[in-house]
Amino acid sequence: MKATSSLALLRQQLHQRLRPLLHSVHMQWQRQTPRERLRARILLWCLPFLVLGYMAFQQWQLLQQQHQQLRVARHEFTQLQELLGQPAPSTSVTVQYTQEELHNALQNSLQTFSTQQAVLSAMPNQPTTWQLRLQQAPASDTLVWLLHTPAALNLSIVATELSRARVEGREQAGVLSGIITLQYNAPTSEGVSQS
């Protein structure tokens, strides 16, 4: 009973406050000529279509941006596949490195990753082979590293096991986990320049 009476009281107060505003709007409407009323009605009918058109245009722009990002991602993915499928390393590097120099250079190349994201370790009984363990590493940084560092240090990628990182059982877009095995290919004696 009390809730009904308080609701009726609230309705009455709202009606009292809105009455002057509604009266003013009604008086303004009455002063308009029939032509102005027609224009106002047409505008009111067109307003939802204009809003929908604007929203559709915004969605179209967003879709175009996503298509552009997808094209870039596909191009980078193709480059990565070509790199991983390449059996022979680049022969443009003619400097011979020691195992310690290579390890230090590899360690320095991983500075874009945190110590939890990338762990480099030498393979036991294989002095020229390293294993890079990635844990929730950004895919873009990983791709840049794969496209540039191994070739620059005359390393070949022997094996890769990379996949999207899983957090609480769900795959994370743009984040990779896995293992990359690298092997040093010492340049042949012809064309080696010591520095």
Side-chain angles (χ1 to χ4, degrees):
M1 213 49 166
K2 228 176 194 182
T4 310
S5 63
S6 63
L7 188 60
L9 181 64
L10 182 64
R11 192 178 296 149
Q12 184 182 9
Q13 289 175 350
L14 186 62
H15 185 64
Q16 285 175 352
R17 291 192 183 191
L18 287 178
R19 188 182 305 155
L21 179 64
L22 290 173
H23 181 69
S24 171
V25 168
H26 182 69
M27 293 304 290
Q28 278 290 92
W29 182 255
Q30 293 300 326
R31 281 189 227 132
Q32 301 295 319
T33 65
R35 188 179 184 122
E36 289 172 332
R37 288 184 197 171
L38 180 62
R39 278 191 208 150
R41 285 187 181 117
I42 290 172
L43 282 174
L44 285 173
W45 276 100
C46 291
L47 188 62
F49 296 109
L50 291 172
V51 170
L52 287 174
Y54 176 75
M55 289 171 58
F57 178 71
Q58 292 295 320
Q59 288 297 319
W60 179 80
Q61 278 189 322
L62 182 63
L63 191 64
Q64 292 303 313
Q65 289 174 354
Q66 289 172 345
H67 279 301
Q68 178 63 26
Q69 290 171 350
L70 182 62
R71 280 192 290 273
V72 169
R74 281 185 181 157
H75 178 69
E76 289 177 347
F77 180 70
T78 304
Q79 284 182 317
L80 182 60
Q81 281 183 318
E82 288 171 4
L83 176 73
L84 295 178
Q86 184 179 7
S90 171
T91 56
S92 60
V93 179
T94 58
V95 177
Q96 190 164 0
Y97 299 104
T98 65
Q99 183 182 0
E100 186 179 337
E101 288 172 333
L102 270 172
H103 186 79
N104 290 339
L106 276 169
Q107 201 66 48
N108 287 337
S109 73
L110 297 171
Q111 290 180 355
T112 55
F113 302 100
S114 70
T115 53
Q116 292 82 22
Q117 291 174 336
V119 177
L120 181 69
S121 57
M123 298 289 283
N125 303 326
Q126 296 178 349
T128 59
T129 307
W130 289 267
Q131 193 173 67
L132 176 61
R133 185 175 300 275
L134 297 173
Q135 186 66 35
Q136 297 181 8
S140 57
D141 292 344
T142 305
L143 180 63
V144 169
W145 188 89
L146 281 169
L147 290 173
H148 300 288
T149 304
L153 296 175
N154 207 26
L155 294 165
S156 61
I157 298 170
V158 178
T160 55
E161 294 177 28
L162 290 175
S163 61
R164 284 185 177 174
R166 292 183 162 271
V167 177
E168 298 175 4
R170 297 179 67 192
E171 286 187 354
Q172 302 296 303
V175 184
L176 297 174
S177 290
I179 297 172
I180 301 169
T181 306
L182 304 157
Q183 186 173 28
Y184 177 56
N185 300 304
T188 57
S189 55
E190 40 186 72
V192 173
S193 62
Q194 297 289 335
S195 56

